[in-house]
Amino acid sequence: MAKNAIRRENEKMKSAAGDDRNLVLVDDDFQDADFEDKVWLFWRRHGKKTVAAAVAVFLAAFSVIVYTQGKKMHVAALQSDYAELKTADERRAFAVAHTGDAMAGTIFYALGNESFAEGRFAEAAADYAASAAVFAEKSEPEFALPRDRAKFSEAVALDKSGKKDEARERLAALASSLKTDETVRGQAMYNLAVLALSAGDVAGARGWLDEMDRALSAQNMWHSEKSNLIRLEPSLAAAPAESASETVATE
């Protein structure tokens, strides 16, 4: 059977050599062939296309693997280089040199925390701003939280450095934007209420607490902090609320 199939295939290929009309082979040969013959005939006719398709799939998969592994190796190399740095100035220079990498945002944020803990609030605000700028360049959704967290920390540092009006503007922008991560948004509203209360503006504080009820989901963790604040300052419970912000719920 196999010899007959092979002979018929060879005859068809010879007759096709000088006649383009015979380049497409009919499937009659497959009718009486056994399984091995069918495999041989299929491979004879379509082997090149099958190999080409398999190679294309392999190259696509290999490209993904190379990209993923290359990215991991790149991050590992950065981490190794970073581990060799000794001073804050060296780490800051390293972050400046690698602002295209998310790792730089994390380094700037850590430097901001160090400066804040040591009372260098203006320097901390600058590092937090640099961290937010790095994460803002990333389109992946997982970078929204660290971006907004850095913006919030910058506002707190500005307040501590004496730039209270600028700090409140930054916090209000976070609290009022629907694009802000909701956890950070709740924290911004809560802090605006605390700042208003510390300035003797009970109505303003109440306004931001009411805005938390309107704008945040019931699961937001800052609702519990709001309740604690009201218990600590009973005047908040009965205070008439002022409008929290004219820019609430902006894009």
Side-chain angles (χ1 to χ4, degrees), residues 92 95-96 104-105 107-113 115-116 120-134 150-151 153-159 161 163 166 170:
R92 187 172 288 106
V96 169
I107 296 171
F108 278 127
Y109 193 83
L111 289 168
N113 287 343
S115 298
F116 192 94
R120 294 179 281 109
F121 300 118
E123 188 175 319
D127 285 329
Y128 289 138
S131 175
V134 171
K151 289 182 178 180
S153 298
E154 179 193 2
V156 173
L158 286 171
D159 179 74
S161 70
K163 297 181 178 180
E166 187 176 353
R170 301 294 182 88

Side-chain angles (χ1 to χ4, degrees), residues 35-182:
F35 178 75
E36 292 182 0
D37 290 342
K38 290 178 181 179
V39 171
W40 181 88
L41 287 168
F42 178 86
W43 187 257
R44 183 70 175 267
R45 297 178 184 181
H46 307 291
K48 290 184 179 180
K49 291 185 290 184
T50 303
V51 170
V55 170
V57 172
F58 172 77
L59 288 177
F62 184 72
S63 297
V64 173
I65 294 172
V66 169
Y67 174 78
T68 303
Q69 291 300 117
K71 195 172 183 180
K72 289 181 179 179
M73 292 174 64
H74 175 69
V75 173
L78 287 180
Q79 292 173 337
S80 177
D81 292 341
Y82 179 75
E84 300 296 324
L85 305 178
K86 304 299 182 184
T87 68
D89 288 339
E90 289 177 340
R91 294 195 295 275
R92 187 172 288 106
F94 182 88
V96 169
H98 297 87
T99 52
D101 292 284
M103 184 178 175
T106 303
I107 296 171
F108 278 127
Y109 193 83
L111 289 168
N113 287 343
E114 291 177 14
S115 298
F116 192 94
E118 295 171 2
R120 294 179 281 109
F121 300 118
E123 188 175 319
D127 285 329
Y128 289 138
S131 175
V134 171
F135 291 127
E137 291 297 319
K138 305 299 178 184
S139 59
E140 295 85 350
E142 61 265 27
F143 293 114
L145 177 58
R147 175 201 65 207
D148 294 339
R149 176 67 63 190
K151 289 182 178 180
F152 172 83
S153 298
E154 179 193 2
V156 173
L158 286 171
D159 179 74
K160 291 290 187 180
S161 70
K163 297 181 178 180
K164 296 187 178 299
D165 290 341
E166 187 176 353
R168 284 167 176 75
E169 289 176 5
R170 301 294 182 88
L171 288 173
L174 287 170
S176 303
S177 175
L178 295 176
K179 293 182 179 180
T180 302
D181 176 87
E182 194 187 73

Side-chain angles (χ1 to χ4, degrees), residues 212-214 216-228:
M212 292 176 72
D213 290 332
R214 286 191 294 267
L216 304 178
S217 66
Q219 294 74 32
N220 194 291
M221 61 176 289
W222 288 97
H223 285 303
S224 62
E225 296 300 324
K226 175 200 68 179
S227 300
N228 291 334

